Amino acid sequence: MRTEASGTPAPIARSRIAPPGAPSPAIIGHRGASGYRPEHTTAAYELAFALGADAVEPDIVATRDGVLVLRHDAEISTTTDVAARPEFAALRTTKEIDGAVLDGWFTEDFTWRQLETLRCVERLDALRPLSATFDGRSGILRLRDLLALVSAASDRHGRGLGIVAELKHATYFASLGLPLDELFLVELAEAGWDRGAPLAVESFEQDVLLSLAARGLDADLIYLVEAHGAPADRVARSGAMASAYDDDVTDAGLLELAAAGLTGISVDLSRMLRTTGEGALAATDIARRAAAAGLQTYCWTLRPENEFLPPSARLGAVPGAPGDWRRIFEPVMRSGVAAVFADHPDLAASVREAATGE
């Protein structure tokens, strides 16, 4: 297998969610099968596994009373019916989280008993109206609910299914006395997921991952790398002098990540693809360079709609219509990545089979 960017082999580093003998790259249902059902719902997660996902990705935030729940973000007005619930109107507020000013309702202002009364809705309803027809059918899940769901799904499907858990806004939650790493470890221990189950933990902040490494967590520790900017934990320490994500994906930066004890990086799709001189899309050399440093590479997020595709891969002018998504999926599958995130796991699985024979 070769990357078109370099012409040199790009070995695939195996992960705990894609053990030897399993198809590779692993397919991670991004917040479940979030292209078909409202994200982070029971239906989305169960459908992801039915469509061939090897693992699912929950975004993890905390309630006021320290319960870990699954939401895209701490602010929940776009993913629940909270704005239509008059009993919670007084909880609307404005906050700054990781440099962004947000207005709405935030999980850390609710107890779990309050939060569990809300119903989930489709976040991208304009792009995914069919998914929006499932609005209101599901309540918010806790991390412990997903751990039980995945264990049951593994038994039902006859294979070891995994979780790629994203800890969101770790520095921010720690400042509120809600340390996500400590709460996460307690949940895993109580569910028995700290004993070799297929597990990866990811974050846009290294500090929380290194804390988990120091505590001996048996999981892949994956550093999420944005297309731009700098991580919130470094900004909290160094302000405008904080080094950028770009520094982390230089050859020297990758070696530093591996030496610190991290096992992989997860990069934005824009870092994975480049345009060739002939106008075709090809993989960059990032997976090869990460492998040379001893790191796995994940890529996020494969989506078929025009809205999420580069202009050259769009078909027509309707943002929610499918574009030429195979032009995007195929070079990523051949790039040497260990795993890909997909909103539609069945589409990713079909391209994996065609591209790699697995």
Side-chain angles (χ1 to χ4, degrees):
M1 186 177 298
R2 296 178 179 272
T3 62
E4 295 182 48
S6 64
T8 58
I12 295 175
R14 290 288 180 170
S15 70
R16 282 174 170 83
I17 63 166
S24 186
I27 294 169
I28 304 165
H30 185 233
R31 307 167 191 157
S34 59
Y36 298 115
R37 298 291 186 274
E39 62 192 32
H40 297 312
T41 59
T42 296
Y45 287 122
E46 290 185 339
L47 182 59
F49 291 130
L51 295 178
D54 303 296
V56 290
E57 184 233 20
D59 294 323
I60 298 173
V61 292
T63 66
R64 189 175 75 203
D65 49 347
V67 177
L68 296 182
V69 296
L70 313 184
R71 287 292 85 196
H72 170 67
D73 222 325
E75 202 286 303
I76 56 173
S77 65
T78 61
T79 61
T80 73
D81 63 352
V82 66
R85 302 291 290 272
E87 66 270 35
F88 298 127
L91 292 179
R92 183 171 185 171
T93 187
T94 300
K95 300 188 181 189
E96 181 176 340
I97 301 178
D98 295 351
V101 177
L102 304 171
D103 176 76
W105 290 262
F106 299 82
T107 59
E108 65 270 20
D109 295 330
F110 290 75
T111 65
W112 165 243
R113 291 303 178 195
Q114 292 173 314
L115 209 59
E116 69 175 338
T117 67
L118 300 179
R119 310 304 289 175
C120 300
V121 301
E122 171 57 50
R123 183 172 59 89
L124 303 174
D125 56 324
L127 292 176
R128 294 171 174 170
L130 290 179
S131 178
T133 65
F134 292 88
D135 285 0
R137 297 191 182 189
S138 301
I140 292 175
L141 295 176
R142 298 166 296 180
L143 174 60
R144 68 190 67 174
D145 300 323
L146 180 62
L147 295 173
L149 183 155
V150 175
S151 293
S154 295
D155 293 339
R156 187 165 63 251
H157 291 280
R159 58 193 182 104
L161 300 171
I163 289 177
V164 180
E166 181 180 349
L167 302 182
K168 301 290 290 264
H169 310 305
T171 298
Y172 169 75
F173 276 108
S175 74
L176 303 178
L178 294 166
L180 297 186
D181 52 344
E182 295 178 17
L183 296 169
F184 182 70
L185 290 173
V186 170
E187 292 278 357
L188 292 183
E190 290 180 352
W193 270 75
D194 60 340
R195 295 189 294 274
L199 176 66
V201 184
E202 57 180 358
S203 177
F204 287 104
E205 303 172 56
Q206 286 186 53
D207 286 354
V208 69
L209 297 175
L210 297 179
S211 173
L212 292 172
R215 295 165 184 265
L217 177 64
D218 183 19
D220 286 341
L221 300 174
I222 308 296
Y223 179 44
L224 285 158
V225 179
E226 287 270 26
H228 309 286
D233 50 355
R234 290 205 294 245
V235 171
R237 285 194 301 272
S238 305
M241 300 300 293
S243 58
Y245 284 112
D246 285 346
D247 298 321
D248 295 311
V249 292
T250 64
D251 290 345
L254 293 169
L255 288 170
E256 288 181 9
L257 295 177
L262 302 183
T263 54
I265 57 171
S266 184
V267 299
D268 175 83
L269 184 62
S270 65
R271 291 188 182 273
M272 181 60 61
L273 294 176
R274 65 183 181 89
T275 302
T276 68
E278 296 76 31
L281 292 169
T284 65
D285 66 352
I286 193 165
R288 177 187 61 79
R289 293 190 299 106
L295 297 170
Q296 308 166 39
T297 300
Y298 292 11
C299 176
W300 50 276
T301 302
L302 299 183
R303 293 167 165 141
E305 295 100 339
N306 282 325
E307 176 76 9
F308 305 112
L309 301 177
S312 64
R314 294 173 187 166
L315 299 176
V318 179
D324 190 4
W325 50 271
R326 288 184 180 275
R327 284 190 65 211
I328 308 302
F329 289 24
E330 287 171 354
V332 173
M333 289 289 181
R334 293 190 174 102
S335 67
V337 293
V340 296
F341 292 87
D343 286 4
H344 304 72
D346 54 333
L347 301 185
S350 71
V351 173
R352 178 177 67 184
E353 182 178 3
T356 68
E358 295 187 281

